[in-house]
């Protein structure tokens, strides 16, 4: 009985303290608000666990009493649980304490992480707050600037309105002045036309009187080039200007100067027969001119009367000979007669007309200017407008009445000097680099950086043939049967008018900047960026000569080189402003002209008469050169 009662008390006591612990834990869980309270509770629980551990160890060290040993049973305190049950509860408490410790560590770790995150957020918040303040300050500054700009714009608008009103007023005045200028020019033109007509009548009368006197003298006696009289056939000794040789011709040649070449040739043969009968000890200058052939003799005769007419038209003989279109032999120029800034910006192109008394220039100021050579100077005669881009090349038709120019506005422009009308050849999609007449006044060829070469009918201003090429085209020359184009891929291509394909190619060392074909169409001169000029024989398609010189450097991709009218010299300008002249027969450097150009020389032109050379450069200047 006593043992049963004791066990009942032990079970009741065991249940009571467990319940008490669970109640306290639940109360703690409900009451705790911070991690510190959890630590305190954990410490208290740990103390209790240590106490129970000591108690358990003490119980285990005491001997186990048998049921019959009543004295030993009375030693245990009243209400203490049995040893096996207490050991199990201690184990459960250890497991629970471990879980609580793990949870406490996890919570501590999370608290530390949250503290770190809070610190980072505080730093970010401080940085963003500073940025916000900075942006607010910038916003206030921008608002102040906006207000200032609004005021400034209002002032500028007021000034603009005032200037616009002044511009409209000045444009009205300019229009009135232009109207007055046109009226004055019209009056002056009419007056000059009347004066010119009157002067032409006087000149014709003078010419007829001079011819009558010459014919009268010829009928009275005969004078040869030696000054010896003869009675075989009447002859006249014509004394020419200093630039042309004198010539002894029969009276029949003068009377029939407008007949065909065969009649003129027969008359010259008669004169030559008389010359052979004279002694050979004295050579006359007439023989050198007669040896040139009947056509050039007749041209020289016409040039004599043209020269007389020019002197009569001018009213006063200025002492300068205006060269004819007959070129017997060329001599390289050695001095500059005249230099002048001919355009508002750099000059790219220059070309003489067939009469050798007119030269055209073009540049990046989008105009072509026509200059007359009078007394060794350039005098502006006409300004051709209509291009919307810089001028790259210029060409005259065989009659000299039309000017064809290539332009950077993707087109070529045709001006008729007699009627002052113009046409625009459109169709290219890139800069037109060259434009040339095809030995006639109604056919032309253009090349462009759009990799095409086009042939044009100038009567209709329409393209009649289009050739696609594999590279940028820098220049083109042509005859009636074929065309030759220069390209940036270092090649010269030949195109037959009867075939759409390239018939021949010639490869150089660098890209080709220009081509020039002599009038006889037997030689082709090329200029390339390897600082060399090459002369090709078109009959054998072989390279005859290569022209190089110390100091010569090709200045740009459109530098133009040409041959003299008699094809005895090649001439080109250098990047340092020097003009180089080579002998086209030997390849030796004949002469270099310096001292006039201070910028790269882009192009040169040699008059058909052989008397003048004009060079133009990137510094707006044109220089007129001559041998005399």
């Amino acid at each position: 009985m006593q043992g049963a009662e004791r066990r009942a008390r032990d079970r009741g006591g065991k249940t009571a303290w467990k319940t008490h612990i669970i109640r306290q834990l639940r109360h703690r869980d409900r009451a705790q608000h911070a991690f510190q309270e959890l630590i305190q509770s954990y410490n208290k629980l740990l103390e209790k666990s240590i106490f129970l551990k000591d108690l358990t160890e003490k119980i285990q060290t005491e001997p186990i009493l048998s049921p019959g040993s009543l004295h030993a049973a009375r030693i245990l305190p009243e209400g203490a649980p049995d040893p096996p049950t207490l050991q199990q509860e201690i184990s459960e408490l250890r497991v629970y304490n471990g879980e609580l410790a793990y949870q406490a560590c996890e919570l501590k770790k999370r608290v530390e992480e949250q503290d770190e995150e809070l610190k980072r957020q505080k730093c970010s918040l401080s940085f963003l707050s500073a940025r916000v303040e900075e942006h607010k300050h910038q916003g206030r500054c921008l608002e102040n600037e906006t207000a200032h700009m609004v005021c400034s714009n209002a002032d500028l608008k007021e000034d603009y309105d005032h200037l616009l009103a002044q511009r409209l007023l000045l444009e009205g005045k300019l229009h009135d002045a232009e109207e007055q200028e046109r009226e004055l020019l019209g009056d002056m033109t009419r007056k000059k036309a009347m004066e010119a007509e009157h002067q032409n009548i006087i000149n014709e009368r003078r010419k007829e009187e001079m011819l009558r006197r010459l014919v009268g003298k010829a009928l009275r006696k005969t004078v040869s080039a030696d000054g010896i009289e003869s009675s075989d056939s009447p002859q006249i000794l014509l004394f020419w200007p200093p630039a042309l040789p004198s010539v002894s011709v029969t009276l029949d040649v003068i009377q029939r100067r407008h007949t065909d070449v065969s009649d003129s040739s027969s008359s010259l043969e008669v004169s030559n027969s008389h010359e052979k009968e004279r002694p050979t000890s004295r050579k006359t200058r007439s023989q050198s001119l007669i040896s040139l052939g009947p056509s050039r003799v007749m041209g020289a005769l016409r040039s004599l009367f043209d020269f007389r007419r020019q002197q009569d038209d001018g009213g006063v003989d200025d002492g300068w000979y205006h060269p004819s279109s007959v070129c017997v032999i060329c001599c390289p120029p050695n001095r500059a007669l005249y230099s002048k800034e001919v355009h508002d910006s750099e000059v790219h192109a220059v070309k003489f007309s067939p009469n050798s008394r007119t030269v055209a220039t073009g540049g990046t100021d989008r105009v072509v200017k026509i200059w007359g050579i009078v007394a060794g100077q350039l005098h502006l005669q006409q300004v051709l407008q209509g291009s919307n881009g810089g001028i790259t090349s210029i060409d005259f038709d065989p009659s000299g009445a039309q000017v064809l120019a290539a332009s950077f506005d993707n087109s070529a422009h045709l001006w008729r000097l007699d009627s002052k009308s113009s046409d625009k050849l459109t169709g290219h999609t890139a800069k037109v680099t060259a434009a040339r007449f095809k030995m006639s006044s109604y056919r032309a060829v253009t090349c462009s950086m759009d990799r095409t070469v086009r042939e044009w009918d100038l009567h209709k201003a329409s393209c009649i043939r289009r050739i696609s090429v594999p590279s940028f085209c820098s220049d083109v020359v042509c005859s009636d049967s074929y065309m030759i184009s220069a390209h940036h891929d270092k090649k010269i291509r030949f195109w037959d008018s009867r075939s759409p394909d390239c018939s021949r190619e010639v490869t150089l060392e660098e890209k080709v900047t220009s081509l020039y074909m002599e009038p006889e169409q037997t030689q082709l001169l090329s200029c390339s960026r390897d600082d060399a000029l090459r002369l090709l024989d078109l009959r054998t398609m072989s390279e005859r000569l290569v022209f190089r010189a110390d100091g010569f450097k090709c200045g740009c991709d459109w530098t133009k080189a040409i041959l003299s009218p008699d094809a005895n010299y090649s001439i080109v300008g250098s990047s340092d402003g020097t003009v180089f002249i080579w002998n086209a027969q030997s390849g030796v450097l004949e002469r270099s002209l310096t001292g006039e150009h201070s910028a790269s020389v882009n192009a040169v032109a040699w008059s058909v008469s052989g008397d003048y050379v004009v060079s133009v450069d990137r510094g707006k200047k044109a220089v007129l050169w001559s041998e005399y």
Side-chain angles (χ1 to χ4, degrees):
M1 280 301 286
Q2 292 179 355
E5 291 175 357
R6 185 177 57 79
R7 285 192 295 272
R9 286 196 302 268
D10 292 340
R11 286 193 296 271
K14 178 181 179 180
T15 304
W17 72 265
K18 276 186 177 183
T19 303
H20 177 71
I21 290 174
I22 292 171
R23 188 184 303 114
Q24 290 296 327
L25 288 174
R26 289 177 179 174
H27 177 71
R28 187 206 59 186
D29 292 335
R30 287 192 302 269
Q32 70 179 356
H33 297 287
F35 188 75
Q36 185 176 1
E37 296 178 357
L38 180 61
I39 297 299
Q40 292 176 358
S41 300
Y42 172 76
N43 292 332
K44 292 179 180 180
L45 183 61
L46 188 61
E47 291 175 357
K48 291 180 181 180
S49 299
I50 294 172
F51 172 74
L52 291 174
K53 181 179 179 182
D54 296 335
L55 181 62
T56 302
E57 292 176 353
K58 186 182 292 184
I59 292 173
Q60 289 179 355
T61 55
E62 294 179 355
I64 301 175
L65 299 177
S66 62
S69 199
L70 184 59
H71 179 73
R74 290 176 179 169
I75 296 175
L76 292 173
E78 185 178 358
D82 294 336
T85 304
L86 183 61
Q87 188 70 27
Q88 183 178 2
E89 291 177 357
I90 290 172
S91 300
E92 292 177 357
L93 286 174
R94 286 178 177 176
V95 173
Y96 185 69
N97 288 338
E99 292 178 355
L100 290 178
Y102 177 75
Q103 292 178 4
C105 292
E106 290 293 327
L107 290 173
K108 184 177 180 181
K109 184 177 180 180
R110 289 176 60 186
V111 168
E112 291 176 354
E113 291 176 354
Q114 289 178 359
D115 289 340
E116 293 294 331
E117 182 67 22
L118 183 60
K119 289 180 181 178
R120 286 195 297 270
Q121 290 181 356
K122 286 182 179 180
C123 293
S124 177
L125 182 62
S126 301
F127 176 73
L128 293 175
S129 299
R131 291 290 300 274
V132 168
E133 292 296 330
E134 182 180 357
H135 289 164
K136 286 182 179 180
H137 178 69
Q138 292 179 356
R140 289 191 294 270
C141 294
L142 290 175
E143 288 177 356
N144 295 332
E145 291 179 359
T146 302
H148 179 69
M149 291 295 294
V150 168
C151 296
S152 300
N153 289 338
D155 296 337
L156 291 175
K157 182 64 169 56
E158 184 178 356
D159 295 340
Y160 171 76
D161 294 337
H162 179 67
L163 292 174
L164 181 61
Q166 289 184 347
R167 175 177 172 269
L168 294 176
L169 179 62
L170 292 175
E171 283 183 350
K173 293 181 179 179
L174 178 62
H175 180 71
D176 295 340
E178 288 178 349
E179 289 293 335
Q180 294 178 1
E181 182 181 3
R182 281 193 289 270
E183 292 177 358
L184 291 174
L185 287 176
D187 295 340
M188 292 177 63
T189 302
R190 288 190 293 271
K191 184 178 179 181
K192 289 291 184 181
M194 294 175 62
E195 292 177 355
E197 184 66 24
H198 179 67
Q199 189 65 37
N200 287 337
I201 295 173
I202 296 175
N203 292 339
E204 288 295 332
R205 293 175 180 174
R206 291 178 179 176
K207 180 179 176 181
E208 292 174 359
E209 182 65 25
M210 182 187 67
L211 288 176
R212 282 197 295 268
R213 289 198 301 268
L214 290 175
V215 170
K217 290 180 181 180
L219 292 176
R220 287 194 296 270
K221 67 178 180 178
T222 301
V223 181
S224 67
D226 301 344
I228 303 174
E229 297 184 2
S230 175
S231 59
D232 293 338
S233 62
Q235 295 182 342
I236 299 175
L237 178 62
L238 301 181
F239 295 96
W240 294 66
L244 292 176
S246 60
V247 58
S248 176
V249 296
T250 64
L251 181 61
D252 294 336
V253 175
I254 298 177
Q255 293 173 346
R256 296 184 309 214
R257 61 183 183 275
H258 297 297
T259 58
D260 57 6
V261 176
S262 61
D263 295 338
S264 300
S265 177
S266 63
S267 300
L268 291 172
E269 290 175 357
V270 173
S271 177
N272 285 336
S273 64
H274 289 288
E275 294 291 338
K276 291 179 181 179
E277 294 175 358
R278 297 172 187 158
T280 58
S281 59
R282 298 182 61 185
K283 297 182 180 180
T284 61
R285 298 181 66 182
S286 61
Q287 295 174 350
S288 62
L289 185 61
I290 292 175
S291 64
L292 296 175
S295 60
R296 291 196 177 183
V297 172
M298 295 307 298
L301 288 174
R302 296 188 184 97
S303 300
L304 172 64
F305 295 107
D306 291 340
F307 172 72
R308 298 294 301 178
R309 179 177 297 177
Q310 290 165 10
Q311 286 184 337
D312 295 337
D313 292 342
V316 178
D317 187 2
D318 55 10
W320 284 86
Y321 166 64
H322 301 280
S324 69
S325 59
V326 178
C327 176
V328 178
I329 189 170
C330 290
C331 295
N334 56 14
R335 70 185 187 94
L337 296 180
Y338 186 70
S339 64
K340 179 180 181 180
E341 289 189 358
V342 294
H343 285 266
D344 296 334
S345 56
E346 61 181 270
V347 191
H348 287 166
V350 60
K351 183 71 174 181
F352 268 99
S353 68
N355 63 12
S356 299
R357 295 186 296 272
T358 305
V359 64
T361 60
T364 56
D365 57 357
R366 306 178 181 181
V367 297
V368 174
K369 294 185 178 181
I370 308 298
W371 305 84
I373 300 179
V374 179
Q377 295 183 355
L378 298 177
H379 294 271
L380 182 61
Q381 294 181 346
Q382 194 173 354
V383 178
L384 306 178
Q385 299 178 341
S387 173
N388 295 322
I391 303 299
T392 57
S393 76
I394 300 174
D395 195 22
F396 281 92
D397 75 329
S399 67
Q402 298 183 108
V403 175
L404 182 64
S407 173
F408 281 167
D409 63 357
N410 305 346
S411 62
H413 298 266
L414 177 67
W415 289 278
R416 298 174 181 84
L417 301 181
D418 50 357
S419 61
K420 297 184 180 180
S421 61
S422 62
D423 287 321
K424 187 175 183 180
L425 308 180
T426 58
H428 287 287
T429 59
K431 298 176 181 178
V432 180
T433 53
R436 300 283 186 268
F437 283 99
K438 280 194 68 176
M439 309 300 291
S440 67
S441 300
Y442 58 89
R443 285 286 189 272
V445 176
T446 60
C447 63
S448 170
M449 297 188 73
D450 62 358
R451 294 186 173 91
T452 62
V453 177
R454 295 173 183 260
E455 186 175 351
W456 303 84
D457 184 348
L458 300 182
H459 287 321
K460 302 177 182 178
S462 61
C463 179
I464 60 177
R465 186 186 180 193
R466 180 181 180 274
I467 302 174
S468 297
V469 296
S471 177
F472 290 161
C473 191
S474 58
D475 201 1
V476 65
V477 294
C478 53
S479 68
D480 288 336
S481 59
Y482 61 88
M483 296 176 290
I484 308 174
S485 56
H487 300 271
H488 283 192
D489 62 353
K490 311 176 186 179
K491 292 185 178 181
I492 301 174
R493 292 180 170 88
F494 295 77
W495 310 89
D496 196 317
S497 59
R498 297 164 294 184
S499 173
D501 300 326
C502 179
S503 60
R504 190 183 298 271
E505 288 185 354
V506 176
T507 303
L508 304 184
E509 296 181 4
E510 278 294 339
K511 55 186 175 183
V512 189
T513 65
S514 73
L515 297 175
Y516 183 86
M517 184 167 57
E518 65 162 344
E520 299 295 333
Q521 300 179 7
T522 60
Q523 297 184 101
L524 179 70
L525 180 70
S526 67
C527 179
S528 54
R529 287 309 298 266
D530 60 347
D531 304 329
L533 277 64
R534 290 173 172 82
L535 189 62
L536 303 177
D537 191 334
L538 298 179
R539 294 166 295 188
T540 61
M541 296 306 299
S542 60
E543 186 179 281
R544 285 189 57 242
L545 291 171
V546 178
F547 305 105
R548 298 181 186 271
D550 294 337
F552 169 65
K553 184 174 180 59
C554 185
C556 59
D557 289 345
W558 52 87
T559 298
K560 299 295 187 295
I562 63 170
L563 291 171
S564 62
D566 60 355
N568 286 331
Y569 301 96
S570 63
I571 182 171
V572 70
S574 177
S575 60
D576 61 354
T578 305
V579 179
F580 289 86
I581 305 174
W582 288 271
N583 189 309
Q585 306 301 323
S586 62
V588 178
L589 180 64
E590 192 79 20
R591 190 168 297 167
S592 59
L593 307 176
T594 59
E596 293 295 331
H597 292 287
S598 58
S600 176
V601 178
N602 290 333
V604 290
W606 205 316
S607 65
V608 181
S609 64
D611 292 323
Y612 299 111
V613 171
V614 174
S615 56
V616 295
D617 62 17
R618 302 183 69 175
K620 314 176 188 179
K621 183 184 288 188
V623 179
L624 178 65
W625 307 86
S626 177
E627 180 192 7
Y628 308 107

